[in-house]
Amino acid sequence: MTKLTKFAIVELNSQTDILANLQSIELGIKIASERGTRMVILPENAFCFGKQGFASQYFDALKAWSAQAARHYGVYLLAGTLPCPYRPDGTPVADGKLRQSSLLFDPAGDCLARYDKIHLFKATVNDSTGNYDEGRTFEAGNELIVADTEFGKVGMMVCFDIRFPTLAVKLREIGANILTAPSAFTYQTGKAHWHALLTARALDSQCMVIGAGQTGDHVVNPSAPSNVRSTWGHSEFISSDGESILTQTIDAANDTATRDFDITNNLAHLPLSAKAASWLPKSDVCQQLDQTAVKTTPSQQAPSVIFADFDADAQQITRQNIALLECQKLTIIVNNT
């Protein structure tokens, strides 16, 4: 009998309030763990949407919190991304920039892998922001990462990386069975390309692709609450043969077990977030907000948890039927005449 592995995406509407984000994250992990999930995947910018320099001050503490979450709830945790002020070798990132780092933890709380986003988003988008250039804030990574787990090898990507088929194929070539893509696609680019890109990368690599997205409106600077960015959401799992797969979706705002759960007033039911309040009090964040911003900033949406099963045996059969990497044996001759 084929052994299935249950995965869960926690789709978030992260804001600049790190403590509130931790509460949403922990609630999502709790829901997933209680339903037998083996691996939980968070979106890009899960811990803070906007104010990346501020969030980077808490990189080590949030890394430790994520390790505790994986251990406490007994899951593998792909902790979306965190802004990190230093490179994997410990040297500071040049010019005051950061790395956009995706971390994978095992159920013992050990950090199995760190992947720093290679392809930084630079585009003009028909939305209120207009011009995006992550290179102003981040330094690109330069290392491919595949992590070993009990259910397969996980190739790590982040958001804009999924536009680059060679990266997906290279991850497959060095052993990946699963590709993770924590993301914060803009509403416009997501509407146009999100599903197509996830599907294409699954077909390119013959890996299951996990697209964990931010969703909804995000106030990236609470002192200017009209400065809102909208993300696409629509988190999904794509099987290695290009099919969208899911087994269940739970909206924490409507689930019978959590619909009356007010994230901001239930620290007692979220033990890790309660501990975090001692080193990341909500007041530290709120002190940066003026009263107008507090009154006009929209409420944070409750997380949704999307489930799917990974069938490693079925995926391997598909791979045996298509020699995906055969094309790399071709010799390309350029005729300049």
Side-chain angles (χ1 to χ4, degrees):
M1 182 177 178
T2 299
K3 181 179 179 181
L4 301 179
T5 303
K6 184 181 291 293
F7 290 84
I9 295 167
V10 178
E11 184 172 278
L12 298 168
N13 173 238
S14 299
Q15 305 291 334
T16 56
D17 186 334
I18 297 177
L19 182 58
N21 294 334
L22 291 185
Q23 292 170 265
S24 289
I25 291 166
E26 186 173 0
L27 177 58
I29 296 173
K30 177 181 172 68
I31 291 170
S33 174
E34 290 172 347
R35 286 158 178 80
T37 298
R38 200 69 190 122
M39 181 173 178
V40 177
I41 303 92
L42 306 180
E44 186 177 26
N45 299 328
F47 299 86
C48 187
F49 201 106
K51 303 182 81 67
Q52 296 297 292
F54 169 73
S56 71
Q57 301 173 61
Y58 294 94
F59 175 81
D60 292 317
L62 291 170
K63 178 180 178 182
W65 186 92
S66 299
Q68 292 172 357
R71 183 168 57 250
H72 181 84
Y73 290 103
V75 296
Y76 286 85
L77 177 63
L78 193 288
T81 64
L82 283 163
C84 183
Y86 53 84
R87 302 181 180 112
D89 64 3
T91 60
V93 180
D95 302 320
K97 293 184 179 181
L98 308 166
R99 289 286 187 98
Q100 187 73 304
S101 299
S102 184
L103 305 175
L104 176 62
F105 299 88
D106 68 14
D110 294 324
C111 187
L112 296 181
R114 165 180 165 169
Y115 166 68
D116 290 354
K117 185 177 183 180
I118 291 175
H119 300 99
L120 301 179
F121 185 51
K122 185 175 183 178
T124 300
V125 178
N126 185 24
D127 63 11
S128 60
T129 300
N131 295 311
Y132 293 82
D133 185 1
E134 285 187 313
R136 291 193 294 258
T137 303
F138 294 102
E139 176 185 77
N142 56 5
E143 185 179 1
L144 301 184
I145 299 295
V146 172
D148 282 313
T149 72
E150 64 191 58
F151 44 77
K153 294 180 182 290
V154 178
M156 299 170 69
M157 309 172 78
V158 172
C159 201
F160 196 49
D161 283 333
I162 68 170
R163 287 187 176 271
F164 298 87
T166 302
L167 177 57
V169 174
K170 284 294 183 183
L171 290 170
R172 156 70 193 277
E173 188 175 6
I174 60 177
N177 307 103
I178 300 158
L179 301 181
T180 53
S183 301
F185 258 61
T186 73
Y187 185 90
Q188 295 296 340
T189 57
K191 182 179 180 180
H193 302 133
W194 172 249
H195 176 74
L197 287 170
L198 292 176
T199 303
R201 297 300 79 84
L203 293 172
D204 289 337
S205 65
Q206 290 186 310
C207 293
M208 182 174 78
V209 177
I210 305 173
Q214 290 278 356
T215 189
D217 294 336
H218 313 263
V219 179
V220 296
N221 183 0
S223 63
S226 62
N227 184 9
V228 174
R229 292 185 183 177
S230 298
T231 51
W232 176 242
H234 293 77
S235 300
E236 60 181 326
F237 298 86
I238 305 293
S239 69
S240 59
D241 57 1
E243 296 294 325
S244 181
I245 55 171
L246 63 88
T247 56
Q248 184 182 19
T249 299
I250 296 175
D251 184 346
N254 298 319
D255 181 52
T256 55
T258 60
R259 64 185 172 200
D260 297 324
F261 192 97
D262 179 356
I263 290 174
T264 61
N265 293 312
N266 279 275
L267 279 172
H269 300 283
L270 298 173
L272 302 182
S273 298
K275 290 180 181 178
S278 66
W279 52 265
L280 187 69
K282 186 177 174 63
S283 59
D284 279 0
V285 179
C286 289
Q287 285 174 4
Q288 302 176 45
L289 313 181
D290 60 39
Q291 292 303 310
T292 302
V294 172
K295 293 177 182 178
T296 58
T297 299
S299 299
Q300 185 167 357
Q301 297 176 26
S304 295
V305 187
I306 301 100
F307 297 88
D309 293 324
F310 175 59
D311 188 335
D313 292 340
Q315 177 169 287
Q316 186 58 32
I317 291 171
T318 302
R319 285 180 160 192
Q320 292 171 350
N321 289 337
I322 304 177
L324 182 71
L325 302 178
E326 287 294 312
C327 66
Q328 296 190 34
K329 297 179 181 180
L330 297 175
T331 299
I332 299 174
I333 300 174
V334 178
N335 187 344
N336 294 319
T337 58

